[in-house]
Amino acid sequence: AQTVTQSQPEMSVQEAETVTLSCTYDTSESNYYLFWYKQPPSRQMILVIRQEAYKQQNATENRFSVNFQKAAKSFSLKISDSQLGDTAMYFCAFMNPQYNNNDMRFGAGTRLTVKP
Amino acid sequence: GAVVSQHPSRVICKSGTSVKIECRSLDFQATTMFWYRQFPKQSLMLMATSNEGSKATYEQGVEKDKFLINHASLTLSTLTVTSAHPEDSSFYICSARMGQGIETQYFGPGTRLLVL
């Protein structure tokens, strides 16, 4: 079974600074997908970034980038130039396309607070 | 694009009644929809996966007679909490996937259920 671990329950960062959220996962598969989702106080889950395991290049979306270390099974999220609107819960998620229905498994989440 | 809606957003009911929650994909056809449950300050726990036109697949420990799922069309899935009790109070989130091979799930805004 796949497990996703987020070891930082809470983090804070000053506005305009950079913060990195950690995520590790456990799988014996070689082909899979990783995601970071953001859940602001509204509770709406928003996709931040995704990474295909077969791609060596780290995914980037504007101020959000990942450091994907496949051998170490690590998938950290870096947020640059943090903004107040980045305050939210961040969930790392794993999906194995080999499994029926391609369901997604989430980590416990990291609560990020951006301070003015 | 890729908008998922849920209705109602909030529901309060008496113990013993049944509650139906709708999940709709507004601008795409969803071959697969997922239902999650989220307790306060916790992660999303997958309850079941529903494919259009077939029976839902429930996760271990989820009572299928308690949580009835119907995926009647490519844009609508419903979750019915039967004979609700206070311990069923939670935040229920649905997500939808466009098709096999499309890995990204799009989430609805969630439904807060309070059973008195």
Side-chain angles (χ1 to χ4, degrees), chain A residues 25-50:
Chain A
Y25 57 94
D26 183 26
T27 184
S28 58
E29 302 294 334
S30 59
N31 183 30
Y32 49 86
Y33 297 83
L34 296 162
F35 305 82
W36 277 99
Y37 279 90
K38 167 184 176 181
Q39 188 180 41
S42 68
R43 307 290 294 270
Q44 172 73 59
M45 293 286 284
I46 301 167
L47 176 65
V48 175
I49 201 165
R50 55 172 271 173

PDB file of all heavy atoms in Angstrom, chain A residues 25-50:
ATOM      1  N   TYR A  25       7.019   9.595   0.327  1.00  0.00           N
ATOM      2  CA  TYR A  25       6.015   8.591   0.014  1.00  0.00           C
ATOM      3  C   TYR A  25       6.683   7.235  -0.080  1.00  0.00           C
ATOM      4  O   TYR A  25       7.907   7.133  -0.177  1.00  0.00           O
ATOM      5  CB  TYR A  25       5.282   8.944  -1.290  1.00  0.00           C
ATOM      6  CG  TYR A  25       6.217   9.105  -2.460  1.00  0.00           C
ATOM      7  CD1 TYR A  25       6.488   8.039  -3.314  1.00  0.00           C
ATOM      8  CD2 TYR A  25       6.852  10.316  -2.702  1.00  0.00           C
ATOM      9  CE1 TYR A  25       7.366   8.189  -4.369  1.00  0.00           C
ATOM     10  CE2 TYR A  25       7.725  10.470  -3.753  1.00  0.00           C
ATOM     11  CZ  TYR A  25       7.989   9.410  -4.579  1.00  0.00           C
ATOM     12  OH  TYR A  25       8.854   9.557  -5.614  1.00  0.00           O
ATOM     13  N   ASP A  26       5.877   6.226  -0.027  1.00  0.00           N
ATOM     14  CA  ASP A  26       6.407   4.871  -0.084  1.00  0.00           C
ATOM     15  C   ASP A  26       5.653   4.100  -1.151  1.00  0.00           C
ATOM     16  O   ASP A  26       4.421   4.005  -1.105  1.00  0.00           O
ATOM     17  CB  ASP A  26       6.243   4.183   1.276  1.00  0.00           C
ATOM     18  CG  ASP A  26       6.857   2.792   1.295  1.00  0.00           C
ATOM     19  OD1 ASP A  26       7.794   2.560   0.511  1.00  0.00           O
ATOM     20  OD2 ASP A  26       6.397   1.954   2.082  1.00  0.00           O
ATOM     21  N   THR A  27       6.379   3.565  -2.105  1.00  0.00           N
ATOM     22  CA  THR A  27       5.765   2.751  -3.145  1.00  0.00           C
ATOM     23  C   THR A  27       6.817   1.859  -3.761  1.00  0.00           C
ATOM     24  O   THR A  27       8.008   2.169  -3.739  1.00  0.00           O
ATOM     25  CB  THR A  27       5.119   3.636  -4.234  1.00  0.00           C
ATOM     26  OG1 THR A  27       4.466   2.790  -5.178  1.00  0.00           O
ATOM     27  CG2 THR A  27       6.163   4.464  -4.958  1.00  0.00           C
ATOM     28  N   SER A  28       6.353   0.762  -4.315  1.00  0.00           N
ATOM     29  CA  SER A  28       7.253  -0.133  -5.046  1.00  0.00           C
ATOM     30  C   SER A  28       7.084   0.031  -6.556  1.00  0.00           C
ATOM     31  O   SER A  28       7.769  -0.624  -7.328  1.00  0.00           O
ATOM     32  CB  SER A  28       6.982  -1.584  -4.650  1.00  0.00           C
ATOM     33  OG  SER A  28       5.631  -1.920  -4.917  1.00  0.00           O
ATOM     34  N   GLU A  29       6.171   0.913  -6.941  1.00  0.00           N
ATOM     35  CA  GLU A  29       5.915   1.139  -8.348  1.00  0.00           C
ATOM     36  C   GLU A  29       6.926   2.115  -8.935  1.00  0.00           C
ATOM     37  O   GLU A  29       7.554   2.893  -8.212  1.00  0.00           O
ATOM     38  CB  GLU A  29       4.491   1.694  -8.537  1.00  0.00           C
ATOM     39  CG  GLU A  29       3.400   0.794  -7.995  1.00  0.00           C
ATOM     40  CD  GLU A  29       3.299  -0.516  -8.751  1.00  0.00           C
ATOM     41  OE1 GLU A  29       3.678  -0.553  -9.937  1.00  0.00           O
ATOM     42  OE2 GLU A  29       2.825  -1.511  -8.164  1.00  0.00           O
ATOM     43  N   SER A  30       7.066   2.068 -10.255  1.00  0.00           N
ATOM     44  CA  SER A  30       7.985   2.988 -10.925  1.00  0.00           C
ATOM     45  C   SER A  30       7.244   4.084 -11.675  1.00  0.00           C
ATOM     46  O   SER A  30       7.813   5.137 -11.972  1.00  0.00           O
ATOM     47  CB  SER A  30       8.882   2.220 -11.905  1.00  0.00           C
ATOM     48  OG  SER A  30       8.083   1.549 -12.871  1.00  0.00           O
ATOM     49  N   ASN A  31       5.972   3.820 -11.976  1.00  0.00           N
ATOM     50  CA  ASN A  31       5.181   4.800 -12.704  1.00  0.00           C
ATOM     51  C   ASN A  31       4.040   5.288 -11.820  1.00  0.00           C
ATOM     52  O   ASN A  31       3.197   4.492 -11.400  1.00  0.00           O
ATOM     53  CB  ASN A  31       4.612   4.184 -13.995  1.00  0.00           C
ATOM     54  CG  ASN A  31       3.848   5.194 -14.802  1.00  0.00           C
ATOM     55  OD1 ASN A  31       4.154   6.388 -14.763  1.00  0.00           O
ATOM     56  ND2 ASN A  31       2.837   4.757 -15.517  1.00  0.00           N
ATOM     57  N   TYR A  32       4.032   6.566 -11.547  1.00  0.00           N
ATOM     58  CA  TYR A  32       2.997   7.123 -10.678  1.00  0.00           C
ATOM     59  C   TYR A  32       2.972   8.636 -10.859  1.00  0.00           C
ATOM     60  O   TYR A  32       3.768   9.203 -11.610  1.00  0.00           O
ATOM     61  CB  TYR A  32       3.236   6.746  -9.204  1.00  0.00           C
ATOM     62  CG  TYR A  32       4.640   6.990  -8.715  1.00  0.00           C
ATOM     63  CD1 TYR A  32       5.022   8.234  -8.217  1.00  0.00           C
ATOM     64  CD2 TYR A  32       5.594   5.971  -8.756  1.00  0.00           C
ATOM     65  CE1 TYR A  32       6.314   8.459  -7.775  1.00  0.00           C
ATOM     66  CE2 TYR A  32       6.890   6.187  -8.320  1.00  0.00           C
ATOM     67  CZ  TYR A  32       7.244   7.428  -7.823  1.00  0.00           C
ATOM     68  OH  TYR A  32       8.526   7.649  -7.387  1.00  0.00           O
ATOM     69  N   TYR A  33       2.030   9.255 -10.161  1.00  0.00           N
ATOM     70  CA  TYR A  33       1.888  10.705 -10.228  1.00  0.00           C
ATOM     71  C   TYR A  33       1.851  11.273  -8.817  1.00  0.00           C
ATOM     72  O   TYR A  33       1.323  10.649  -7.895  1.00  0.00           O
ATOM     73  CB  TYR A  33       0.596  11.088 -10.969  1.00  0.00           C
ATOM     74  CG  TYR A  33       0.588  10.646 -12.410  1.00  0.00           C
ATOM     75  CD1 TYR A  33       0.231   9.336 -12.761  1.00  0.00           C
ATOM     76  CD2 TYR A  33       0.954  11.511 -13.425  1.00  0.00           C
ATOM     77  CE1 TYR A  33       0.245   8.917 -14.075  1.00  0.00           C
ATOM     78  CE2 TYR A  33       0.967  11.100 -14.755  1.00  0.00           C
ATOM     79  CZ  TYR A  33       0.614   9.801 -15.062  1.00  0.00           C
ATOM     80  OH  TYR A  33       0.630   9.396 -16.370  1.00  0.00           O
ATOM     81  N   LEU A  34       2.392  12.460  -8.694  1.00  0.00           N
ATOM     82  CA  LEU A  34       2.407  13.161  -7.410  1.00  0.00           C
ATOM     83  C   LEU A  34       1.771  14.530  -7.585  1.00  0.00           C
ATOM     84  O   LEU A  34       1.913  15.163  -8.638  1.00  0.00           O
ATOM     85  CB  LEU A  34       3.839  13.308  -6.900  1.00  0.00           C
ATOM     86  CG  LEU A  34       4.552  11.997  -6.573  1.00  0.00           C
ATOM     87  CD1 LEU A  34       6.052  12.201  -6.509  1.00  0.00           C
ATOM     88  CD2 LEU A  34       4.024  11.411  -5.268  1.00  0.00           C
ATOM     89  N   PHE A  35       1.085  14.957  -6.542  1.00  0.00           N
ATOM     90  CA  PHE A  35       0.373  16.224  -6.605  1.00  0.00           C
ATOM     91  C   PHE A  35       0.564  17.001  -5.308  1.00  0.00           C
ATOM     92  O   PHE A  35       0.764  16.420  -4.236  1.00  0.00           O
ATOM     93  CB  PHE A  35      -1.142  15.988  -6.770  1.00  0.00           C
ATOM     94  CG  PHE A  35      -1.528  15.141  -7.946  1.00  0.00           C
ATOM     95  CD1 PHE A  35      -1.481  13.757  -7.875  1.00  0.00           C
ATOM     96  CD2 PHE A  35      -1.969  15.724  -9.125  1.00  0.00           C
ATOM     97  CE1 PHE A  35      -1.853  12.964  -8.959  1.00  0.00           C
ATOM     98  CE2 PHE A  35      -2.345  14.939 -10.209  1.00  0.00           C
ATOM     99  CZ  PHE A  35      -2.285  13.559 -10.120  1.00  0.00           C
ATOM    100  N   TRP A  36       0.465  18.301  -5.424  1.00  0.00           N
ATOM    101  CA  TRP A  36       0.278  19.167  -4.264  1.00  0.00           C
ATOM    102  C   TRP A  36      -1.054  19.893  -4.457  1.00  0.00           C
ATOM    103  O   TRP A  36      -1.289  20.516  -5.496  1.00  0.00           O
ATOM    104  CB  TRP A  36       1.396  20.191  -4.134  1.00  0.00           C
ATOM    105  CG  TRP A  36       2.623  19.657  -3.462  1.00  0.00           C
ATOM    106  CD1 TRP A  36       3.763  19.203  -4.050  1.00  0.00           C
ATOM    107  CD2 TRP A  36       2.847  19.534  -2.057  1.00  0.00           C
ATOM    108  NE1 TRP A  36       4.668  18.794  -3.114  1.00  0.00           N
ATOM    109  CE2 TRP A  36       4.142  18.988  -1.876  1.00  0.00           C
ATOM    110  CE3 TRP A  36       2.077  19.833  -0.921  1.00  0.00           C
ATOM    111  CZ2 TRP A  36       4.680  18.732  -0.614  1.00  0.00           C
ATOM    112  CZ3 TRP A  36       2.613  19.586   0.335  1.00  0.00           C
ATOM    113  CH2 TRP A  36       3.906  19.043   0.486  1.00  0.00           C
ATOM    114  N   TYR A  37      -1.905  19.777  -3.430  1.00  0.00           N
ATOM    115  CA  TYR A  37      -3.170  20.487  -3.416  1.00  0.00           C
ATOM    116  C   TYR A  37      -3.159  21.489  -2.276  1.00  0.00           C
ATOM    117  O   TYR A  37      -2.573  21.260  -1.214  1.00  0.00           O
ATOM    118  CB  TYR A  37      -4.351  19.521  -3.216  1.00  0.00           C
ATOM    119  CG  TYR A  37      -4.802  18.812  -4.471  1.00  0.00           C
ATOM    120  CD1 TYR A  37      -4.244  17.589  -4.845  1.00  0.00           C
ATOM    121  CD2 TYR A  37      -5.807  19.349  -5.282  1.00  0.00           C
ATOM    122  CE1 TYR A  37      -4.678  16.932  -5.993  1.00  0.00           C
ATOM    123  CE2 TYR A  37      -6.234  18.695  -6.421  1.00  0.00           C
ATOM    124  CZ  TYR A  37      -5.665  17.491  -6.772  1.00  0.00           C
ATOM    125  OH  TYR A  37      -6.090  16.833  -7.908  1.00  0.00           O
ATOM    126  N   LYS A  38      -3.856  22.579  -2.501  1.00  0.00           N
ATOM    127  CA  LYS A  38      -4.000  23.634  -1.501  1.00  0.00           C
ATOM    128  C   LYS A  38      -5.456  23.670  -1.055  1.00  0.00           C
ATOM    129  O   LYS A  38      -6.358  23.574  -1.890  1.00  0.00           O
ATOM    130  CB  LYS A  38      -3.608  24.967  -2.146  1.00  0.00           C
ATOM    131  CG  LYS A  38      -3.958  26.220  -1.387  1.00  0.00           C
ATOM    132  CD  LYS A  38      -3.589  27.439  -2.239  1.00  0.00           C
ATOM    133  CE  LYS A  38      -4.009  28.733  -1.562  1.00  0.00           C
ATOM    134  NZ  LYS A  38      -3.667  29.917  -2.398  1.00  0.00           N
ATOM    135  N   GLN A  39      -5.670  23.774   0.261  1.00  0.00           N
ATOM    136  CA  GLN A  39      -7.032  23.905   0.780  1.00  0.00           C
ATOM    137  C   GLN A  39      -7.095  25.155   1.660  1.00  0.00           C
ATOM    138  O   GLN A  39      -6.711  25.129   2.822  1.00  0.00           O
ATOM    139  CB  GLN A  39      -7.455  22.667   1.577  1.00  0.00           C
ATOM    140  CG  GLN A  39      -8.934  22.688   1.955  1.00  0.00           C
ATOM    141  CD  GLN A  39      -9.360  21.455   2.744  1.00  0.00           C
ATOM    142  OE1 GLN A  39      -8.640  20.981   3.624  1.00  0.00           O
ATOM    143  NE2 GLN A  39     -10.538  20.927   2.429  1.00  0.00           N
ATOM    144  N   PRO A  40      -7.561  26.265   1.098  1.00  0.00           N
ATOM    145  CA  PRO A  40      -7.680  27.506   1.879  1.00  0.00           C
ATOM    146  C   PRO A  40      -8.844  27.404   2.869  1.00  0.00           C
ATOM    147  O   PRO A  40      -9.534  26.383   2.895  1.00  0.00           O
ATOM    148  CB  PRO A  40      -7.938  28.563   0.798  1.00  0.00           C
ATOM    149  CG  PRO A  40      -8.552  27.808  -0.332  1.00  0.00           C
ATOM    150  CD  PRO A  40      -7.964  26.425  -0.288  1.00  0.00           C
ATOM    151  N   PRO A  41      -9.069  28.425   3.666  1.00  0.00           N
ATOM    152  CA  PRO A  41     -10.173  28.383   4.643  1.00  0.00           C
ATOM    153  C   PRO A  41     -11.538  28.079   4.028  1.00  0.00           C
ATOM    154  O   PRO A  41     -12.418  27.567   4.708  1.00  0.00           O
ATOM    155  CB  PRO A  41     -10.127  29.782   5.260  1.00  0.00           C
ATOM    156  CG  PRO A  41      -8.688  30.167   5.171  1.00  0.00           C
ATOM    157  CD  PRO A  41      -8.206  29.600   3.866  1.00  0.00           C
ATOM    158  N   SER A  42     -11.709  28.367   2.765  1.00  0.00           N
ATOM    159  CA  SER A  42     -12.986  28.041   2.103  1.00  0.00           C
ATOM    160  C   SER A  42     -13.201  26.540   1.975  1.00  0.00           C
ATOM    161  O   SER A  42     -14.316  26.087   1.677  1.00  0.00           O
ATOM    162  CB  SER A  42     -13.022  28.675   0.709  1.00  0.00           C
ATOM    163  OG  SER A  42     -12.056  28.048  -0.139  1.00  0.00           O
ATOM    164  N   ARG A  43     -12.180  25.755   2.184  1.00  0.00           N
ATOM    165  CA  ARG A  43     -12.190  24.288   2.117  1.00  0.00           C
ATOM    166  C   ARG A  43     -12.160  23.751   0.677  1.00  0.00           C
ATOM    167  O   ARG A  43     -12.165  22.548   0.469  1.00  0.00           O
ATOM    168  CB  ARG A  43     -13.378  23.658   2.861  1.00  0.00           C
ATOM    169  CG  ARG A  43     -13.565  24.090   4.296  1.00  0.00           C
ATOM    170  CD  ARG A  43     -12.513  23.577   5.221  1.00  0.00           C
ATOM    171  NE  ARG A  43     -12.495  22.149   5.394  1.00  0.00           N
ATOM    172  CZ  ARG A  43     -13.175  21.490   6.324  1.00  0.00           C
ATOM    173  NH1 ARG A  43     -13.978  22.147   7.146  1.00  0.00           N
ATOM    174  NH2 ARG A  43     -13.067  20.172   6.452  1.00  0.00           N
ATOM    175  N   GLN A  44     -12.164  24.629  -0.321  1.00  0.00           N
ATOM    176  CA  GLN A  44     -12.088  24.166  -1.707  1.00  0.00           C
ATOM    177  C   GLN A  44     -10.684  23.665  -2.014  1.00  0.00           C
ATOM    178  O   GLN A  44      -9.706  24.390  -1.829  1.00  0.00           O
ATOM    179  CB  GLN A  44     -12.431  25.324  -2.646  1.00  0.00           C
ATOM    180  CG  GLN A  44     -12.192  25.026  -4.117  1.00  0.00           C
ATOM    181  CD  GLN A  44     -13.221  24.087  -4.704  1.00  0.00           C
ATOM    182  OE1 GLN A  44     -14.417  24.374  -4.705  1.00  0.00           O
ATOM    183  NE2 GLN A  44     -12.766  22.938  -5.210  1.00  0.00           N
ATOM    184  N   MET A  45     -10.565  22.448  -2.469  1.00  0.00           N
ATOM    185  CA  MET A  45      -9.273  21.880  -2.842  1.00  0.00           C
ATOM    186  C   MET A  45      -8.850  22.421  -4.205  1.00  0.00           C
ATOM    187  O   MET A  45      -9.598  22.344  -5.179  1.00  0.00           O
ATOM    188  CB  MET A  45      -9.377  20.352  -2.917  1.00  0.00           C
ATOM    189  CG  MET A  45      -9.632  19.692  -1.580  1.00  0.00           C
ATOM    190  SD  MET A  45      -8.193  19.683  -0.521  1.00  0.00           S
ATOM    191  CE  MET A  45      -7.238  18.368  -1.279  1.00  0.00           C
ATOM    192  N   ILE A  46      -7.644  22.940  -4.264  1.00  0.00           N
ATOM    193  CA  ILE A  46      -7.131  23.546  -5.484  1.00  0.00           C
ATOM    194  C   ILE A  46      -5.821  22.872  -5.855  1.00  0.00           C
ATOM    195  O   ILE A  46      -4.917  22.766  -5.029  1.00  0.00           O
ATOM    196  CB  ILE A  46      -6.889  25.060  -5.271  1.00  0.00           C
ATOM    197  CG1 ILE A  46      -8.199  25.751  -4.867  1.00  0.00           C
ATOM    198  CG2 ILE A  46      -6.320  25.699  -6.533  1.00  0.00           C
ATOM    199  CD1 ILE A  46      -8.004  27.158  -4.347  1.00  0.00           C
ATOM    200  N   LEU A  47      -5.727  22.423  -7.101  1.00  0.00           N
ATOM    201  CA  LEU A  47      -4.498  21.802  -7.566  1.00  0.00           C
ATOM    202  C   LEU A  47      -3.420  22.866  -7.704  1.00  0.00           C
ATOM    203  O   LEU A  47      -3.611  23.866  -8.379  1.00  0.00           O
ATOM    204  CB  LEU A  47      -4.725  21.108  -8.902  1.00  0.00           C
ATOM    205  CG  LEU A  47      -3.488  20.490  -9.554  1.00  0.00           C
ATOM    206  CD1 LEU A  47      -2.952  19.341  -8.704  1.00  0.00           C
ATOM    207  CD2 LEU A  47      -3.808  20.010 -10.972  1.00  0.00           C
ATOM    208  N   VAL A  48      -2.279  22.633  -7.075  1.00  0.00           N
ATOM    209  CA  VAL A  48      -1.165  23.568  -7.152  1.00  0.00           C
ATOM    210  C   VAL A  48      -0.184  23.137  -8.238  1.00  0.00           C
ATOM    211  O   VAL A  48       0.214  23.935  -9.090  1.00  0.00           O
ATOM    212  CB  VAL A  48      -0.434  23.649  -5.791  1.00  0.00           C
ATOM    213  CG1 VAL A  48       0.815  24.526  -5.899  1.00  0.00           C
ATOM    214  CG2 VAL A  48      -1.371  24.178  -4.707  1.00  0.00           C
ATOM    215  N   ILE A  49       0.182  21.856  -8.212  1.00  0.00           N
ATOM    216  CA  ILE A  49       1.199  21.381  -9.139  1.00  0.00           C
ATOM    217  C   ILE A  49       1.151  19.857  -9.188  1.00  0.00           C
ATOM    218  O   ILE A  49       0.716  19.214  -8.225  1.00  0.00           O
ATOM    219  CB  ILE A  49       2.599  21.889  -8.688  1.00  0.00           C
ATOM    220  CG1 ILE A  49       3.597  21.884  -9.838  1.00  0.00           C
ATOM    221  CG2 ILE A  49       3.107  21.131  -7.484  1.00  0.00           C
ATOM    222  CD1 ILE A  49       4.841  22.703  -9.548  1.00  0.00           C
ATOM    223  N   ARG A  50       1.569  19.286 -10.300  1.00  0.00           N
ATOM    224  CA  ARG A  50       1.610  17.840 -10.451  1.00  0.00           C
ATOM    225  C   ARG A  50       2.909  17.439 -11.104  1.00  0.00           C
ATOM    226  O   ARG A  50       3.524  18.208 -11.848  1.00  0.00           O
ATOM    227  CB  ARG A  50       0.431  17.326 -11.264  1.00  0.00           C
ATOM    228  CG  ARG A  50       0.275  17.966 -12.626  1.00  0.00           C
ATOM    229  CD  ARG A  50      -0.785  17.291 -13.444  1.00  0.00           C
ATOM    230  NE  ARG A  50      -0.207  16.174 -14.218  1.00  0.00           N
ATOM    231  CZ  ARG A  50      -0.916  15.322 -14.920  1.00  0.00           C
ATOM    232  NH1 ARG A  50      -2.219  15.392 -14.927  1.00  0.00           N
ATOM    233  NH2 ARG A  50      -0.335  14.365 -15.605  1.00  0.00           N
TER     234      ARG A  50
END
